[in-house]
Structure formats: structure tokens, C-alpha cells
Amino acid sequence: MLRFDKPDIDIGDALEWDDESSGDVVIAGQWVINRPGQLVMGEPKAENQAHALMFALNEVIQVNDMNMYNTLEDSFKIPFLMNSFFASPDDWREPSSVIPPFRIVGFPEHTYTRPLSMVGELMGAAEFCFVTITQRVLSALRVRMHYGHPDFIDGYWARTRGGVSKASHLVNTNEDIFTGYEMLGRDERGTYVDWLSQEKGRETSFLEAFTFEAKLAQGAAQQIRSRHLFFLNQRLPVLVKLSLFFGSLGFYLMTLLTTFSIKLYVYAVLMFVSANVSYHRLGLLGSVIAVPWMFQVGFVQALPLLLEYMIRYGLVSGFVAFLAQLPLGLVFFVFHLKTKAHFFAQGLFSAQGGYKGTGRGFGLDRRTMVEMYRAYFHSHFQDALILIAAIIMYAVISPEKGAAILLRMLSIILVIFSWLMAPILFNPFPTRDAMHEDLRQMRDWLETGFRKGIDFKTANSKGRKEAERKAALNTWWTKQEDVSWQAWFIRSVYVETWETADRWFSTPLNSIIWYTQQILFWAWRYFPFLILVQAYWQLESIYYAIAIIVIGFLVLTLPATMSNMHEHFTFLKLVPALVIPSTLVYYHYSMVPLDTIFLSMIIYVLAFFALIEVSLGIWNVLVKLFTFRDFKKMRFVSGTKDRKYLKKRLSVPPGFFQPQILWPYLMMGVLTLGNFASVAFCGALTTLIYNGRVADVWNRAYLNHRL
């Protein structure tokens, strides 16, 4: 709504915000402009660059981050670069001399944080591969884009073409590359030089590197929805189009397919063995799956880095530097292979993403077991545990010998080891005291209940703005997640997933597409185990499944229901004393093989988890239907209605999520084993992660602290 009463008013001097009008703009009490919905800004980093562009008035713009600087010797080269690529024309009457031949000029970066830690060394090696080897090839193919700092950009061209980056929310998270897309779409060119470099800092701690890779992967998925790639795909020649694909988004797509093929390989092997199809028969059919691959084709991709090291540091020194990075580098990059695939799929299928700040400080803080579980469960730990279950089932069913099974699954086992143990290997300063503290915090986190009561009346008070209400709710969520596994699981697994569906898929057709995707993801995760339920259904093993469920249920519920009684520990001791002997007697007389019982238990547990996930999806649909009778009101809304909607969703029955506590208990055991090994080799591990001097100083400080 626009209201005008005084035509002689100075709008620039009279602009003010009216807090009582829910975000309306009031000009001297006479103009009222109703804003259509909540104000949503773009990506913060891109918005800052767009704002700063008006103060860059010269002919050439260089985009730098605050973690970058020029050395003195490289600064002397910049005038030569300006004269070579952005020089003033000699003849103003010749148009070709006025227009610079290149709109973007890039050059390598030297990562000065590489000596600080092994994470910094590996991140610097990845940066070296991209900014030196990869960009050199992309420049020759004429598809090198703008990847942020420290490129030089034609200032006049950037100011008249929309700036040095784009800032649309949830589309331009990787804001800088869109300048390159703009350049390529307007048939302009960029180039790359090797004789200039700039210093740059990268992440030196494992969690910061994980956050950075997640941001890039989600941003790559968001690029697919941009109009720039749509028009480039329509207009570019086929060879340039292929070069652009494999030089940008194709990397993430191939990573997703590689991770997909790992699980597909294990599932296929498991299905063939359960169907009594031997590898000999597969070999007669010419199937590649029948051949165990010890040396993967992907190892060839490390050859350019090895050659580059040899050229720069010498034949022997370069080979030694490459070998020094190889053991931990394999674990590190296999872990981040899964990071890229998971978050690329997350951004591709559920439109999630956004800028994530990493800080890029000197990572000396040790991460607790709870922090590891919260950060890596969805992306790495859960899939690794499912693959372990599939490999165990394959080993039980397969008629092959143990050596043949190990040979066939060796590369998969190394992948699983990297997904599970990488956070432990790169966690600094392992000690027995820290391990005991981690176990104590993990037990407290798992045993603390979830307080569902939210002060909605205070959060929805009329005197508070919508941003303050959301901040209060987020603060409440964060406090609950820090102390309770139930709160973290309900929010991260259920509420955030359901709210994403409400926010992005509000029409009937899009909602059907969303739920179809969820069903496909569910079927892909549990498909082989649901099939094996029919093939390996054992009536005797049902007894053991019921016994374990009874024990677990009583152990979990009795302390909570009988906490005020002095005899509840006696009851807890009585339950195993009654169930375990009867189970052993039944096993003795039934003569069921132990491997059959073990196999059946794994199948039942995973099938039970699949049933729980389906039940939760049905629960969410029922909450929607009984809350909003009109389908148009089922979309995401903010304010009081959203809080009431959330409160109804939090009333999910405990039986739907409480059995999922088996995942953190399994991971607590796996991470504890990794902590034992890291404590046993704490000195050598600290020397590898940092260096000998840091290990010596830490050892003396830790010993003095204990003394």
C-alpha cells in the first residue's frame, strides 16, 4: 500500500522504519509501503562485494580475501601484468586497442598455512592441484572461470555487467564463478599466467575443512538451477560445453556417481551371493564385477601432482614429498569424497545450502565424540555402518574362503575405514583423560531426555519481532541439542527434513515429487535387507530378536520410570539374569547355527529401522492433514502458526525414534576403538598431524599437567 499526502516532503530525509506495522516502511508518517512478505537478502559475501563495487573506481579490480597478501617480489610483477593485459591503448581510433583482450586474468596461489598441520598440508595440496594444474588446462580449453581471489578483472566491464559476483539467495552460494559464466556467455575471454602468485591461507583443522567442502558441494548443486547455466547449455558449442562440464560441475557429479557405485557394488555382490550365483558364472558372462580390483584406475589421477612435485622440487625431493602425503592423504580425500557427494546430493534434491563460515584459524581444539557424531553421522557414519552390515552378511552367506572375501572387499573396507576413522586420526592431542571425558559426555548426551516444552507464549509475544522469535527458538533448539541426543535427532532428522518439504515443495505436484524422492532414498538404503528378510527368515532367530528387544526396552525404560525407587538397579540386574540363561538353553536345544542367528539379527534390525522411517513419514502426513484441512495452508508459514505446527510435530511417539539410539551406541564403540589406537600412538600421530616440535611441546605440557 502506498499513501501520499505531502508532495513537498523530502523522502531521503524522512525515511524511517515503523516497528509497529510489521515491517512497513513509513516516510514522515505520510508514506506507507507494505512490503510483500519478509525481506530476504542475498548471499552475504556476494552482497558485500556488490556493495563495495561502487567504491572501486579504477580500470582494474582485484578481488582479495582478508586471508591473502602479496609478497614484495610478486608485487614488482603486477605493473608488468597491468601493462601486458590492461594497458592504455596507443591509438584511440582503433576499437580493438581500446577493449582489453581478456576480461579476467588469473594466476596461482601459494598456501602459506601448509606447514601448520597435516590438514593444512593436504588442503594446500588440493589447492595447488586446482589453481595450478587444473586451471592451466582450463585456460587452454578457454573455459577457465573466475574462482574468487586473487583474479584481476576489467573494472569497466564488471561495473556494467552486474558486478564481480551474483547474490541471489540459495542460487549464488558460489558467487564468484558466475562472473566467469557471464564472461563466457558474452563471448569474452579470460586467461591464466604462471609467473605471478599470491599468498593465501586455508583451513588447518578437520572440521573446518569439512564445512568448506560441504559449502562448495551445495553451491555446485545450486548452480544447476541458475539461468546462466541454462543459457550456456543452449548456446555453447558441444566441445566447449563438454569442457565446461568436466571442468566445473562434472567433478561433483562424478564424485556422486563414484560414491553411489561403492554401495551399488556391495549390494550387487550381496544379492548375487544370496541368489547362489558364483563369481565363476559371472566371469563366464564377462562381468567386470567378477574381477577383484587391487589397483584402482583413480590412482592415475595422482600422477599429475607427482610430476608437478618433481618439476618444482626435484626428482627425489618431489617423490619424497608425495609419499609423505600419501598415507593420511588417502584417508583424508576418501573421507571428503563422501562429503562432496553427500552435500551435492543434498543441494540437488532438497535445495539445501548457503554460506558457511569456516574461520580458517589454527586448529588446535580437540573435538569431542559428541561433536563428531553430530557433524558426520548423516554424511558418513550411517552409510559406513550399513556397508559394514552388508559386508558381514556377505561374509556369512558366501561359500568362499576368508582370503577371497577379504581380497574382494579390501578396497571397500579401506573406504569404510576412511569414513569412520578420519575424524579420529586428525583429532589433535589424544590422551586417556580426553578419551574418558569423551565417553562420559557421550553417555550423558545419550541418556538425557528431551524436554519438549517450549515457551511459545514468550516466543510469540507481540512486542518481539519475527527475527527475535526465530532467534529465541533457535537458541532453545541449540541448548536442547547440546545436552540431549533425542533433541538433536528429532530436529536434524525429522523437523528439518519436514520443514524443507514444507518450504520448497508446497504445491500438490511438488509434494508428490518430494515424497517419491524420499521413498526412493529409503528403498535404496534398505533395499537388499528387505529382500533378504524373505530369503533368510528363521523362526528360531525370532526368539533371539524378541529377547534382545525386551532387554533393550527394559534397560532403557526402567531407569526412567523407577528413578525414585531404590530397587530399580535390582530389577535391571534381574532382567539379564532371567533372559540370557533361557536364551542359551534355547540355543543349545534348537541347534541353530550361530552365524544364521547373527545374520538374521542384522536383517531384522535394519528392516525394523526401515519400518520406523516409513512410520515417521506417515506420521508427518497425518499431522499435516489434521492440522491443515486446506492443502494451500500446508506450505511453510512463519510466526505463531508455524510454532503451533512445530509443537504438534514434536508430539511424535517415542517408539518411533527411541530405537534409533542404537546408531550412536554403535558409533560410540567404533570411535572408542579409534581413540584407543590414537592414544597408543599419540606421539607419532601428533608428529604426523603437526610436527615433531609441536608434539614435544604438547607432550611436556601434558606430562606437567598430569604431574
Side-chain angles (χ1 to χ4, degrees), residues 10 56 141 156 229 376-377 380 448 525 554 645 648 691:
D10 189 355
L141 296 174
Y156 175 79
L229 281 182
Y376 311 124
F377 173 73
H380 296 80
T448 304
R525 178 175 295 172
L554 293 177
Y645 193 18
K648 291 184 178 181
N691 52 58

Side-chain angles (χ1 to χ4, degrees), residues 641-660:
K641 294 181 180 179
D642 182 38
R643 304 298 190 275
K644 294 180 179 178
Y645 193 18
L646 174 62
K647 193 171 183 179
K648 291 184 178 181
R649 276 179 162 171
L650 291 181
S651 61
V652 56
F656 282 177
F657 63 85
Q658 193 63 39
Q660 301 273 2

